[in-house]
Amino acid sequence: MSQTATINPEVTQPVAQASKGHPKGLYVLFATEMWERYNYYGMRAILVLFMTKALLFDKVFASNLYGSYTSLVYLTPLVGGYISDRFWGNKRSIIAGGLVMAIGEFVLFFCASLYKSAPDISSILFFTGLGLMIAGNGFFKPNISSMVGQLYPKGDRRIDAAYTIFYMGINVGGAIGPFICGLVGDTGNPADFKWSFLVAGIGMLLSVIVQKIFQSKYVKSPEGKPLGDVPANSPKQFSNPVYIVGGLLLFSAMLIGLLYIDARVFSYLTYLLIASVIFIAFVIFSDKSLNKIERQRIGVIFIVAFFVIFFWSAFEQAGASLTFFAEEQTQRDLGFFTVPASWFQSLNSLFVVAFAPLFAWLWLKMGKREPTSPFKMAIGLMLLALGYLWIASGVHNRSATEKASMIWLTGMYALHTWGELSLSPIGLSLVNKLAPFKFASLLMAVWFLANAAANKLAGVLSALYPEAGKTTSFLGYHMSNLYDFFMLFVGMAGLASLILFLLTKQLRKMMHVNAE
């Protein structure tokens, strides 16, 4: 999954271990995150299918809206994290964000119940539900991950294992979400999509309930103090329920409006993302207190963030064009059961659980021969390109009416997961390692902005998905069939990988470290 836990290598130096095993609070956070990821990835698995089959949006509009939605999902944690740090605390932010997301799912349930009888009302409810999901995610996502590290003394050897356990929670949720939501909603009857939103919302409520019941008792610091309380210097009025509810309503209304404007009025999101990166770069590089080494390290962060855009824009086709391919061009009939198209989105999480320990072992086994972080990320891009080359070969010279075996999608997702394991946790760790303390949060924002830009681009690229008799083009490259479409990603990711390979030696010099 693209939303990986952040591991700070600065807190993993060997010290005396306080105790064996892990605090119970880790398993509370595991369950909370698992049910939230179940909710998010379960809904995402059927989203473009619901848009095209029930709401009857064309693939171009559905793809672009999908890109805008997932892009904003990566932007709002910047706001939610800021408010949590200064005014609300982790605990309140997680509960508030989770409830808003659950309400968003139930709004989408009513949307899916009314799409035939009241299409105008259904359309309003659709944008409202997505806006609530985006707003709630902004408060939930940045706070749950940050609490894992706070359970342990600084330098505790168990912290890497703790994040690995937590990351498994993300992927267990990411695996069962599409499976359950696809089973009840992706039945071939568009009227059943409402059940997907309902069970996703129930999962989100379970996440909130687990956190509410067990947090105060188990989620504590090594000294036994409850974690995530309201910051001591927070103004009292921000703890007033009227202010909290009012703030959430205002923030949600703003996100609903921003999503609708980008989808229906003017596609501004790309310009906003570019402007945000330029602004952050200006703020950082204009700081005269930075020395030459710090500036070069920050430069590395901006460079690798640029390359991850190419990775995630291709990887995130999973929720858009690859779902169209699974639905329309993949042979899913087993004779006794037809596999829902949405189920294929569980494969990435299942492969992460299967292969993450192998990759962790591999890097340790290589010892001094372990590749540098940029080199690993270049490997990730190359594996992504190979995944698309695999599926392109599966559809080459295939007639429009002939469906492809499931092995092509399955093999592609395996290669993509290997690419993710080579790039995502490595990139997050690199940002933590190279960022000067005074700009740590702002440079992590650069990483999330890159993810947001990638998701927006993913929607734009998915809109190029060629249908029968339709030719699309991107930067002069014309696509009239699926082979041409998949080869676009082979070329894009492959070229980015080669360039990053060539830059590796220079980037290592700019990092000014003997080993990563």
Side-chain angles (χ1 to χ4, degrees):
M1 287 294 164
S2 61
Q3 301 193 32
T4 51
T6 306
I7 302 175
N8 187 345
E10 298 301 325
V11 296
T12 57
Q13 300 303 314
V15 296
Q17 191 168 303
S19 63
K20 296 177 181 178
H22 292 276
K24 293 179 180 178
L26 175 63
Y27 301 101
V28 174
L29 298 178
F30 174 100
T32 302
E33 177 74 350
M34 182 192 75
W35 283 115
E36 187 275 333
R37 291 291 87 186
Y38 158 91
N39 154 73
Y40 176 79
Y41 284 105
M43 186 276 269
R44 194 193 74 160
I46 56 92
L47 183 57
V48 295
L49 297 174
F50 173 67
M51 286 194 275
T52 52
K53 290 177 169 292
L55 300 182
L56 302 181
F57 295 161
D58 61 55
K59 286 189 176 72
V60 172
F61 181 81
S63 294
N64 279 305
L65 182 54
Y66 167 83
S68 298
Y69 166 69
T70 54
S71 179
L72 286 168
V73 159
Y74 275 95
L75 280 180
T76 50
L78 303 179
V79 178
Y82 178 88
I83 292 174
S84 170
D85 288 345
R86 286 158 180 79
F87 306 114
W88 287 5
N90 300 128
K91 188 188 301 184
R92 178 176 291 163
S93 297
I94 291 168
I95 299 298
L99 288 174
V100 170
M101 291 176 77
I103 293 169
E105 292 285 18
F106 295 135
V107 169
L108 290 170
F109 167 76
F110 288 111
C111 160
S113 302
L114 299 172
Y115 75 94
K116 271 189 177 179
S117 58
D120 291 339
I121 295 174
S122 180
S123 180
I124 294 170
L125 291 176
F126 181 67
F127 282 98
T128 301
L130 289 185
L132 289 168
M133 288 287 292
I134 296 165
N137 177 81
F139 287 98
F140 188 100
K141 191 61 190 169
N143 290 290
I144 191 76
S145 299
S146 66
M147 294 184 75
V148 174
Q150 298 174 40
L151 295 169
Y152 299 85
K154 192 170 184 179
D156 196 303
R157 292 174 180 171
R158 297 171 294 168
I159 195 166
D160 276 352
Y163 271 109
T164 300
I165 293 168
F166 182 72
Y167 191 33
M168 291 304 105
I170 292 174
N171 286 285
V172 169
I176 63 176
F179 180 81
I180 299 296
C181 291
L183 183 66
V184 300
D186 187 10
T187 63
N189 180 2
D192 287 336
F193 281 121
K194 62 178 178 286
W195 305 119
S196 296
F197 296 122
L198 181 63
V199 297
I202 291 171
M204 192 64 245
L205 280 182
L206 287 173
S207 174
V208 172
I209 290 169
V210 168
Q211 188 71 7
K212 182 66 177 175
I213 292 176
F214 297 108
Q215 170 153 329
S216 295
K217 185 175 181 180
Y218 295 116
V219 183
K220 296 181 178 181
S221 70
E223 296 75 33
K225 296 179 181 178
L227 293 174
D229 287 338
V230 176
N233 58 351
S234 173
K236 286 187 177 180
Q237 63 264 32
F238 284 97
S239 295
N240 186 320
V242 175
Y243 277 81
I244 294 171
V245 174
L248 287 171
L249 286 173
L250 185 63
F251 188 59
S252 299
M254 183 180 72
L255 266 302
I256 294 166
L258 288 174
L259 181 65
Y260 182 84
I261 291 168
D262 188 72
R264 294 286 195 186
V265 183
F266 172 68
S267 184
Y268 67 90
L269 199 49
T270 302
Y271 305 105
L272 175 64
L273 291 166
I274 293 171
S276 299
V277 172
I278 292 173
F279 174 74
I280 291 174
F282 174 78
V283 169
I284 292 174
F285 286 108
S286 63
D287 189 308
K288 295 180 181 179
S289 67
L290 293 173
N291 59 40
K292 182 181 177 181
I293 291 177
E294 288 174 325
R295 288 176 183 275
Q296 289 188 346
R297 287 176 170 173
I298 292 168
V300 172
I301 293 173
F302 274 89
I303 291 168
V304 297
F306 173 74
F307 280 97
V308 302
I309 293 175
F310 295 97
F311 183 89
W312 292 121
S313 61
F315 186 94
E316 289 297 334
Q317 295 301 310
S321 65
L322 290 172
T323 297
F324 296 142
F325 178 78
E327 172 69 21
E328 300 168 356
Q329 301 294 331
T330 301
Q331 173 54 259
R332 298 176 286 112
D333 189 356
L334 300 178
F336 60 93
F337 177 70
T338 299
V339 177
S342 51
W343 278 16
F344 287 93
Q345 291 190 52
S346 290
L347 288 175
N348 171 240
S349 291
L350 291 171
F351 286 141
V352 166
V353 173
F355 292 112
L358 176 63
F359 273 75
W361 172 84
L362 177 64
W363 302 136
L364 288 174
K365 188 71 175 175
M366 294 181 77
K368 292 182 179 180
R369 294 173 296 165
E370 182 181 355
T372 63
S373 294
F375 195 90
K376 289 178 185 176
M377 297 174 77
I379 292 172
L381 276 160
M382 185 56 70
L383 287 167
L384 182 82
L386 289 174
Y388 275 106
L389 185 61
W390 166 261
I391 199 169
S393 66
V395 300
H396 192 40
N397 293 328
R398 189 181 295 272
S399 69
T401 56
E402 187 181 0
K403 294 189 175 183
S405 166
M406 288 188 287
I407 194 65
W408 300 108
L409 263 179
T410 304
M412 183 211 66
Y413 277 123
L415 284 161
H416 284 189
T417 302
W418 298 346
E420 177 191 358
L421 291 169
S422 301
L423 179 139
S424 183
I426 307 302
L428 282 165
S429 178
L430 189 66
V431 174
N432 270 322
K433 186 182 301 182
L434 298 181
F437 180 76
K438 68 182 295 185
F439 288 126
S441 296
L442 205 53
L443 285 165
M444 188 54 70
V446 170
W447 181 264
F448 282 111
L449 282 170
N451 280 267
N455 277 271
K456 179 59 181 172
L457 180 57
V460 171
L461 294 173
S462 176
L464 304 176
Y465 186 81
E467 298 186 78
K470 174 184 173 185
T471 298
T472 57
S473 63
F474 183 71
L475 299 178
Y477 174 71
H478 299 283
M479 295 162 280
S480 56
N481 53 53
L482 286 169
Y483 175 78
D484 295 340
F485 179 70
F486 291 137
M487 287 304 293
L488 168 68
F489 297 102
V490 175
M492 188 175 75
L495 181 60
S497 174
L498 290 173
I499 295 172
L500 189 53
F501 274 127
L502 293 172
L503 289 174
T504 296
K505 188 175 290 187
Q506 180 61 33
L507 290 174
R508 178 163 187 166
K509 290 179 182 177
M510 293 170 64
M511 289 162 62
H512 295 279
V513 290
N514 294 323
E516 303 121 77

